[in-house]
Amino acid sequence: MITVNTTEVLRKYNLKKTAPRVAIISILANNDNPISENDIKEEMGDMYDRVTFYRSVQTLIEVGLIHRIVADNITMYAYNHSEVNINIPELNHVHFFCKKCHSMICLEEVKVRDYKMPKDYIIEDCEVLIKGVCKDCKK
Amino acid sequence: MITVNTTEVLRKYNLKKTAPRVAIISILANNDNPISENDIKEEMGDMYDRVTFYRSVQTLIEVGLIHRIVADNITMYAYNHSEVNINIPELNHVHFFCKKCHSMICLEEVKVRDYKMPKDYIIEDCEVLIKGVCKDCKK
DNA sequence: TGATTAATTGATACAATGTTGCAATAAAAA
DNA sequence: TTTTTATTGCAACATTGTATCAATTAATCA
């Protein structure tokens, strides 16, 4: 379990240190794998407000602190531990989605590979999602 | 513009040849790049029914005839010309999403690379989405 | 430390997206 | 042509996401 200095990290992006933001960041940072809005909602308890959640998530994604991963219409969120993914997609890891149990897994050891793009495209990010059956469901 | 034999392709997956399915397949097959539900809706005109659309899209995705691509909460659909992507992710191409104009582009010439997965995972599909700024918006 | 400023929150209302149930319809099989 | 079975299309509902705006709170500065 990795602890994140929310004060520091929010300052870095000129974002005010507010309760909802701190909560969302901490919850995601404490999870090795992506989790759903509902998971976050439960952990936030009273503090959870839907509108605030969407806005917080939006801004945190914009600065690159967290990620949104969508598979089969299921949306999950994860803390971006590598953080500086801007223009260095190869630092990002691959995500795995199990079609049976609908769980999402961060494959930290599998990094995104380099893709030769046609000229004139500016690459800012690269997301790799592998779908299939996880080891638990395979049994 | 590539024409698809809808009769043949639907039979292949034991799906009844119905008007909405034929329409969706044809529309997507006629577009080189992914398009939105609204684009499809417009092309379908009277024939469009939201529930039927969602169900058709669902079954067509399940058999692998079409793809759903989601970027920044924007959902698009594309015909899967390579079709037999089951267990051969390297036949799939990469998608590009422009953060400025929100357009989605199929990069047919850029193929998905091979990823070494941990043992015990069954891989069925691999999606690569590259985000950035397209050549038009870059200018 | 306390007043000022500016961003953020949280409530309400709304809009868009996705799902369920079911009777009517139409495609494929006999 | 009749029978069978999947699919459609409607209504009603559920979930997800957004706009507005007054109230609140974080950061700044005297």
Side-chain angles (χ1 to χ4, degrees):
Chain A
M1 156 157 147
I2 301 139
T3 313
V4 172
N5 188 332
T6 49
T7 308
E8 198 176 275
V9 97
L10 284 169
R11 284 202 71 166
K12 187 170 164 187
Y13 295 103
N14 286 311
L15 297 175
K16 285 193 179 169
K17 187 187 179 185
T18 65
R21 284 173 182 170
V22 169
I24 292 170
I25 291 175
S26 305
I27 290 166
L28 293 183
N30 284 340
N31 278 273
D32 290 337
N33 293 314
I35 58 176
S36 69
E37 175 180 351
N38 258 307
D39 295 331
I40 299 170
K41 176 181 176 180
E42 278 180 21
E43 288 209 48
M44 288 182 80
D46 281 348
M47 186 188 293
Y48 172 87
D49 172 81
R50 202 150 52 85
V51 176
T52 304
F53 174 81
Y54 283 113
R55 279 190 291 222
S56 304
V57 145
Q58 170 94 344
T59 50
L60 296 178
I61 288 172
E62 273 165 9
V63 298
L65 273 175
I66 69 172
H67 282 142
R68 183 200 284 120
I69 307 120
V70 180
D72 290 9
N73 274 348
I74 294 170
T75 302
M76 304 237 172
Y77 303 91
Y79 187 75
N80 180 11
H81 287 289
S82 47
E83 206 187 317
V84 244
N85 66 330
I86 314 296
N87 286 322
I88 317 174
E90 292 78 24
L91 289 179
N92 290 345
H93 60 261
V94 160
H95 291 116
F96 182 85
F97 177 76
C98 177
K99 289 183 182 178
K100 291 237 170 117
C101 69
H102 294 171
S103 68
M104 189 94 71
I105 297 159
C106 289
L107 297 171
E108 292 290 350
E109 66 278 18
V110 187
K111 297 295 180 187
V112 167
R113 300 188 63 177
D114 183 43
Y115 288 93
K116 285 237 156 37
M117 292 286 294
K119 283 274 179 216
D120 295 328
Y121 283 86
I122 300 172
I123 300 180
E124 291 178 358
D125 199 5
C126 181
E127 299 171 7
V128 178
L129 178 67
I130 299 176
K131 295 182 182 183
V133 182
C134 74
K135 45 185 177 182
D136 287 345
C137 290
K138 185 188 165 188
K139 288 168 190 167
Chain B
M1 156 155 146
I2 300 138
T3 313
V4 172
N5 187 333
T6 49
T7 309
E8 198 177 275
V9 96
L10 284 169
R11 285 202 71 166
K12 185 170 163 186
Y13 295 103
N14 286 310
L15 297 175
K16 285 191 180 171
K17 186 187 180 184
T18 65
R21 284 172 181 170
V22 169
I24 292 169
I25 292 175
S26 306
I27 291 166
L28 292 183
N30 284 341
N31 279 274
D32 290 337
N33 292 315
I35 58 175
S36 69
E37 176 180 350
N38 258 308
D39 295 331
I40 299 171
K41 176 181 176 179
E42 277 180 22
E43 287 208 50
M44 289 182 80
D46 282 348
M47 187 189 294
Y48 171 86
D49 171 82
R50 202 149 51 85
V51 176
T52 303
F53 173 81
Y54 283 115
R55 279 190 289 222
S56 303
V57 146
Q58 171 93 345
T59 49
L60 296 177
I61 288 173
E62 273 165 10
V63 299
L65 272 175
I66 69 171
H67 283 143
R68 183 199 285 120
I69 308 120
V70 180
D72 290 9
N73 274 347
I74 293 169
T75 302
M76 304 237 172
Y77 302 90
Y79 187 74
N80 180 10
H81 287 289
S82 46
E83 206 187 317
V84 244
N85 65 332
I86 315 296
N87 287 322
I88 317 174
E90 292 78 25
L91 289 179
N92 290 345
H93 60 261
V94 160
H95 291 116
F96 182 85
F97 177 76
C98 177
K99 290 182 181 179
K100 291 236 171 120
C101 69
H102 294 171
S103 68
M104 189 94 69
I105 297 158
C106 289
L107 298 171
E108 292 290 351
E109 66 278 18
V110 187
K111 296 297 180 186
V112 167
R113 299 188 64 177
D114 183 42
Y115 288 93
K116 286 239 154 35
M117 292 286 293
K119 283 276 179 213
D120 295 328
Y121 283 86
I122 300 172
I123 299 180
E124 291 179 359
D125 200 4
C126 182
E127 299 171 8
V128 178
L129 177 67
I130 298 175
K131 295 182 182 183
V133 182
C134 75
K135 47 186 176 183
D136 287 347
C137 291
K138 185 187 166 189
K139 287 168 191 167

